[in-house]
Amino acid sequence: MRVRHLQSHLSDQQLVHQGKLDSLRSIRVGVDAVFWLRSIQALKDPFADALGGIPPGIFGFVDKELEAFRKQGITPLFVFQGVAPGPQHSMFVSRMDQQMELAWTYLAKGQKSEAQKCFAVSTSRINGDFVYFIFHHLRNKGYECLQAPYFAGAQLAHFAEQGVVQTVFGPPGLLLYGVQRVVIHIDFQKGVFDWVDLTSVLEKWQITRDMFVDACMLAGTEYCLTYPYLNLGHFQPVSPGRFNFDAAVYIIKQAPLINWMQTFPTEEMKNDHVDGYCICKVLVQNSPVMNMQHNVIRPLNNSTVPYDFQAIMGEKLPNSLYYLMLNGVISHKLPQALSKGEWTDKSQPLVDTQEFRGLLEDLQCYRQLALGLVARHLHERFQRKRILCKAFWEPHLPRSTAGQHPGAEDQNPKPRELIPDTTRGLPWRIEKTAVDKEMVRQGVDKVDFKFCLQWHAHEFDTDGALIQDLQGSGEPSFSNDANALAALVHFMVLERLELIDRDDGGMTVLSAVLMETPRNLQEPCLVALEMLKFGVLTNEPFDAAQPDRPFPQQVQYPTPPVPERVKAVLLLCRVMSLVPMRLRNDMWNADVDFDLAAFHSLIRVLKRALRQLVEASLTSILLKDLKRVKLLPPGFMCASPKKDDHMQTPAMLPTFMLPRACMGIVVRFFLDYTGDPASFQSELQSKFPCCMQAKEDLKNAFLFWEDLRRCIKEIAEPLGAQKFLEDMDEATELLVKQQTKLGIKAVSRT
């Protein structure tokens, strides 16, 4: 839990101690994973969000930190946040619209350094996608990590109390949970660490632990507002008018918290603050944790919870679902929605467009499918749950107050709701012997989309057992084998994406074209077809989400009528940006592109929805037999690129890793290049120092363009994509002309 100004005040009060790292040798340290990631300066690439959400050196920088832990002899246990209630207000959540606009304006003027500063303060570089990929990267490398059922801080406090870890590394807010000592900073280079001690704090301030918690709440957290009178000179003789944590301590020493709740000027203001303080107190005292003694989820310290605890935390989930969460089989979003009855999209994209908002609403169909895959194995009340959707642009209208005010329905649109789609799927029967036989037939050693599509097509043509079994009934089943499990998950995802007919299990036009795509381009091609399905893969400029907030003028973003060459460039860059590049462990010290930033905002939410379908399919299978979790290798969802081939990962399931916009930026440089062809490669390397093999990656992107064009040619007539094919043909003319001029062609197809 984050407490306003607590860390700076502890430092000012000389309550931050320093120790030698050698004293932590051979110690097991519980690590607040998100806090740790935020402490790694190298991960804070200002352009990360503009590139699509993930910095270029994400895994390399993390590996350096892990190596530092190893060299120091420290054994980390990483704890990730679980189904924690969202912040009650925006004290720690700022959209920074003006800063984003300034960032793009500075870029347009060529003032890259100023732009980076604005991006740095207006974007969250440790986002949900980032954290997801790091979790599975750590698991793949053999590190202990788990997703807490609720708050990471509460779980760490329980681990410390039970002796599971000898110390904890996290924010000073961990003191609220009663953790006696918290490491708040580690400097591996200097061999030192900073730490705070709860007893020292209480003794110096001459307060009890309960008073300390109350003082922190008065100061403000993400769950309760700052007490409004802290800025009065009466409480701050030194610097009246400015917030200081010392004022909160002073106030709480004068009278109990409840006394100060009687001093608000209006009843509404009083209720806002009192509700926040009550919620915060409950979260500190009663947050559920994985109890190590009883091996169940129960409140911290076995405390008695208030009668309306469910209203704050959501409905308790089955232990089986918590188990899968702890093991990283399913991330917190789907369980949180089923528990709390809310689905929140609170993150504003770097470029807010009408297309982004429309796609977010259109993706409700996939979200309902994912929720249904999980809910159908839970109690009936979860299957019927109506889940309220809330996006960052929508006015706050709590479920409890909806309809209470006259005219409320006229002023606010009808709330969007998700209802789990529990429709029974096809009864897949995946046998190990059949999988092994098919792998031999295809000459492959890994189950992936291409393998499953080709197997399905072969069985469809020969009326094989895979197809015949679909005529039966019952639940999907598989042999006790990792490859059989992987195949089943792939088939279930393909079915939900309607690449396999959901009625009879037959082939579709899309599955027929996708199975011919090269293996290393399967996922980008699938994503492109999905973008086309939702109508967001076009050659048209994006539209600003709000007419009264147009795009920054200095960006000179295209407006109608748009020249044909501009449209062609937009389409070429967008499509080829779906192909990942091989990047160095470094900052992206090159250009970023406004249109591609907008496009990759769409990619992020689509890939997140696809990833949730994968998680839900796997969860749906394993909820029936938790022992089969052991079939999953540590890196079953690890998206870290392999060293010998950056297009391949250790994952056994589709990860839908974010590709970043880098390839699209390089393609634009290629298309706009007017210099000497003989100098192109040297200028390419100079322009993009973070790219390890820009020219080879460019050739691979050309191959992807050709393959997607092949797909569109085959589906144009049956699926009505003739207009998009015409757009691709026109763009191809521009591409071929520049390829010929610079002597760069696509790599040969394999």
Side-chain angles (χ1 to χ4, degrees):
M1 192 171 292
R2 300 164 72 181
V3 181
R4 187 182 182 193
H5 286 255
L6 175 58
Q7 183 160 339
S8 59
H9 188 61
L10 290 171
S11 181
D12 292 342
Q13 295 272 301
Q14 297 182 330
L15 286 166
V16 176
H17 313 286
Q18 193 170 87
K20 296 289 186 181
L21 268 181
D22 287 343
S23 63
L24 297 182
R25 189 172 294 278
S26 302
I27 292 291
R28 196 181 193 203
V29 178
V31 179
D32 181 320
V34 171
F35 180 82
W36 167 64
L37 290 170
R38 287 189 174 127
S39 74
I40 304 174
Q41 293 300 314
L43 289 175
K44 297 180 179 179
D45 190 329
F47 286 151
D49 223 26
L51 291 173
I54 301 292
I58 171 175
F59 300 118
F61 290 136
V62 166
D63 286 348
K64 287 181 181 178
E65 288 288 309
L66 295 174
E67 179 62 15
F69 275 115
R70 189 194 66 78
K71 286 183 177 179
Q72 203 61 46
I74 299 172
T75 303
L77 189 164
F78 297 100
V79 179
F80 290 76
Q81 193 89 319
V83 185
Q88 301 298 300
H89 57 83
S90 59
M91 180 181 295
F92 292 97
V93 181
S94 178
R95 286 167 53 181
M96 302 294 283
D97 293 340
Q98 189 175 3
Q99 288 293 325
M100 284 194 227
E101 190 169 320
L102 271 175
W104 289 114
T105 300
Y106 281 131
L107 267 186
K109 293 179 178 179
Q111 297 172 258
K112 187 181 295 184
S113 178
E114 294 302 316
Q116 287 177 320
K117 292 176 185 176
C118 291
F119 277 130
V121 299
S122 63
T123 60
S124 173
R125 284 151 287 172
I126 310 299
N127 52 62
D129 299 305
F130 184 108
V131 172
Y132 178 91
F133 295 127
I134 291 297
F135 178 94
H136 288 284
H137 179 72
L138 294 174
R139 288 288 293 265
N140 185 57
K141 293 186 75 70
Y143 286 89
E144 284 186 290
C145 54
L146 61 86
Q147 184 176 204
Y150 290 90
F151 284 95
Q155 189 64 57
L156 284 167
H158 178 70
F159 281 161
E161 190 265 333
Q162 291 292 310
V164 176
V165 297
Q166 283 69 58
T167 192
V168 296
F169 174 31
L174 286 172
L175 297 174
L176 273 72
Y177 295 105
V179 179
Q180 287 302 307
R181 293 185 176 184
V182 180
V183 175
I184 61 172
H185 177 69
I186 295 178
D187 189 328
F188 286 111
Q189 285 190 330
K190 295 181 179 179
V192 297
F193 66 94
D194 295 336
W195 57 282
V196 291
D197 176 76
L198 180 58
T199 302
S200 299
V201 172
L202 300 182
E203 288 178 353
K204 181 159 187 174
W205 294 351
Q206 296 182 326
I207 56 176
T208 65
R209 184 193 157 201
D210 285 341
M211 292 168 70
F212 171 72
V213 172
D214 288 349
C216 288
M217 291 195 299
L218 286 176
T221 73
E222 61 264 58
Y223 295 99
C224 57
L225 294 163
T226 299
Y227 186 61
Y229 300 117
L230 287 187
N231 295 331
L232 293 180
H234 175 69
F235 298 123
Q236 299 201 68
V238 178
S239 54
R242 292 185 60 192
F243 174 83
N244 187 298
F245 194 92
D246 205 31
V249 177
Y250 176 84
I251 287 176
I252 214 66
K253 289 169 74 172
Q254 306 309 307
L257 179 67
I258 189 66
N259 290 28
W260 297 105
M261 295 301 100
Q262 314 306 318
T263 60
F264 292 99
T266 67
E267 196 67 20
E268 184 178 2
M269 188 178 185
K270 174 183 175 181
N271 291 338
D272 280 347
H273 283 75
V274 171
D275 285 350
Y277 295 140
C278 291
I279 289 171
C280 191
K281 196 69 169 279
V282 167
L283 295 178
V284 169
Q285 294 180 339
N286 308 113
S287 286
V289 297
M290 174 60 188
N291 187 287
M292 299 303 292
Q293 286 184 316
H294 304 282
N295 209 31
V296 294
I297 308 300
R298 60 172 51 178
L300 186 64
N301 304 321
N302 297 321
S303 51
T304 302
V305 301
Y307 73 93
D308 58 350
F309 190 57
Q310 183 172 306
I312 300 172
M313 302 302 298
E315 194 170 352
K316 187 176 181 182
L317 297 165
N319 287 332
S320 55
L321 194 53
Y322 286 123
Y323 175 76
L324 295 180
M325 280 181 58
L326 289 166
N327 284 278
V329 171
I330 185 169
S331 52
H332 71 271
K333 193 68 175 183
L334 297 174
Q336 186 172 45
L338 290 168
S339 171
K340 199 80 168 69
E342 295 175 355
W343 187 298
T344 306
D345 293 297
K346 64 179 184 294
S347 299
Q348 181 181 359
L350 199 59
V351 181
D352 190 10
T353 63
Q354 290 182 20
E355 290 80 4
F356 178 86
R357 297 187 180 192
L359 179 61
L360 212 56
E361 295 187 15
D362 291 342
L363 286 172
Q364 287 190 191
C365 58
Y366 284 173
R367 291 174 171 182
Q368 291 183 144
L369 284 169
L371 289 164
L373 280 164
V374 178
R376 65 191 310 268
H377 299 289
L378 308 182
H379 191 278
E380 190 178 342
R381 65 180 180 275
F382 290 109
Q383 299 173 25
R384 298 195 308 264
K385 182 161 286 192
R386 305 181 79 87
I387 297 165
L388 181 68
C389 290
K390 193 72 183 170
F392 64 88
W393 70 83
E394 293 172 319
H396 181 63
L397 186 65
R399 187 192 296 269
S400 58
T401 62
Q404 291 182 7
H405 303 290
E409 293 184 4
D410 298 331
Q411 297 173 12
N412 296 289
K414 184 179 179 181
R416 293 181 294 117
E417 288 186 328
L418 296 173
I419 301 174
D421 183 348
T422 56
T423 306
R424 186 185 295 273
L426 294 168
W428 298 98
R429 303 281 184 271
I430 310 298
E431 299 293 336
K432 178 185 185 312
T433 52
V435 175
D436 292 344
K437 181 180 178 182
E438 182 62 21
M439 292 178 87
V440 171
R441 188 186 76 83
Q442 292 190 31
V444 297
D445 58 3
K446 184 176 182 178
V447 172
D448 54 19
F449 279 130
K450 187 176 181 71
F451 168 82
C452 290
L453 287 169
Q454 291 197 334
W455 183 17
H456 178 262
H458 176 71
E459 293 288 289
F460 187 80
D461 290 341
T462 60
D463 196 25
L466 183 70
I467 301 298
Q468 290 181 11
D469 287 340
L470 298 180
Q471 310 311 311
S473 59
E475 294 288 327
S477 63
F478 69 104
S479 299
N480 214 36
D481 173 72
N483 282 334
L485 172 57
L488 178 54
V489 172
H490 279 84
F491 278 126
M492 290 176 68
V493 172
L494 289 168
E495 176 192 343
R496 265 70 188 181
L497 297 179
E498 298 181 348
L499 287 164
I500 290 175
D501 193 294
R502 295 196 67 182
D503 293 325
D504 61 7
M507 291 182 66
T508 65
V509 174
L510 289 175
S511 65
V513 297
L514 185 60
M515 73 176 183
E516 299 300 331
T517 294
R519 180 163 272 103
N520 64 338
L521 298 176
Q522 282 274 308
E523 195 172 293
C525 190
L526 172 59
V527 171
L529 294 174
E530 286 293 307
M531 296 288 281
L532 191 62
K533 182 195 298 184
F534 285 106
V536 289
L537 182 58
T538 72
N539 64 354
E540 296 291 340
F542 295 114
D543 295 311
Q546 299 169 268
D548 59 336
R549 292 188 63 87
F551 298 138
Q553 187 176 355
Q554 287 82 356
V555 173
Q556 297 183 332
Y557 194 65
T559 55
V562 183
E564 292 304 314
R565 186 187 188 280
V566 173
K567 288 185 177 183
V569 170
L570 288 177
L571 185 58
L572 286 163
C573 293
R574 289 173 183 176
V575 167
M576 286 190 267
S577 73
L578 294 173
V579 180
M581 297 189 75
R582 189 175 182 187
L583 303 171
R584 303 182 196 280
N585 295 325
D586 203 349
M587 299 282 187
W588 177 256
N589 191 20
D591 294 333
V592 289
D593 184 271
F594 186 83
D595 181 77
L596 288 173
F599 182 66
H600 276 260
S601 296
L602 304 175
I603 297 296
R604 281 175 76 172
V605 293
L606 172 63
K607 285 205 163 193
R608 200 175 297 150
L610 295 174
R611 204 159 52 239
Q612 285 160 354
L613 271 177
V614 175
E615 286 185 354
S617 298
L618 179 61
T619 299
S620 181
I621 296 165
L622 296 179
L623 278 173
K624 293 179 288 186
D625 186 356
L626 293 179
K627 294 191 295 294
R628 288 179 151 185
V629 170
K630 295 178 181 178
L631 293 173
L632 297 171
F636 72 95
M637 284 292 277
C638 177
S640 318
K642 292 184 176 180
K643 289 185 178 180
D644 56 341
D645 184 355
H646 72 285
M647 300 287 285
Q648 299 297 322
T649 73
M652 67 176 273
L653 299 176
T655 63
F656 293 105
M657 172 66 172
L658 302 181
R660 307 181 187 91
C662 305
M663 191 73 258
I665 296 170
V666 172
V667 168
R668 180 175 284 274
F669 174 77
F670 164 81
L671 293 172
D672 292 342
Y673 185 77
T674 57
D676 182 359
S679 303
F680 175 74
Q681 183 159 351
S682 61
E683 291 193 36
L684 184 67
Q685 292 172 339
S686 174
K687 184 77 173 177
F688 302 102
C690 192
C691 302
M692 295 182 70
Q693 50 178 42
K695 188 175 180 180
E696 293 306 309
D697 288 342
L698 199 55
K699 292 178 180 180
N700 198 40
F702 295 158
L703 171 63
F704 175 62
W705 173 268
E706 290 178 5
D707 189 73
L708 181 62
R709 188 163 166 242
R710 171 194 61 80
C711 293
I712 302 303
K713 282 181 179 178
E714 294 185 33
I715 69 172
E717 186 174 341
L719 298 184
Q722 292 95 334
K723 173 63 171 63
F724 187 72
L725 177 59
E726 292 172 8
D727 294 339
M728 286 198 80
D729 287 343
E730 290 179 12
T732 299
E733 291 181 14
L734 173 64
L735 177 63
V736 171
K737 183 178 178 181
Q738 190 71 345
Q739 285 176 329
T740 303
K741 176 184 174 182
L742 298 181
I744 302 176
K745 299 290 185 181
V747 294
S748 59
R749 181 172 174 171
T750 56

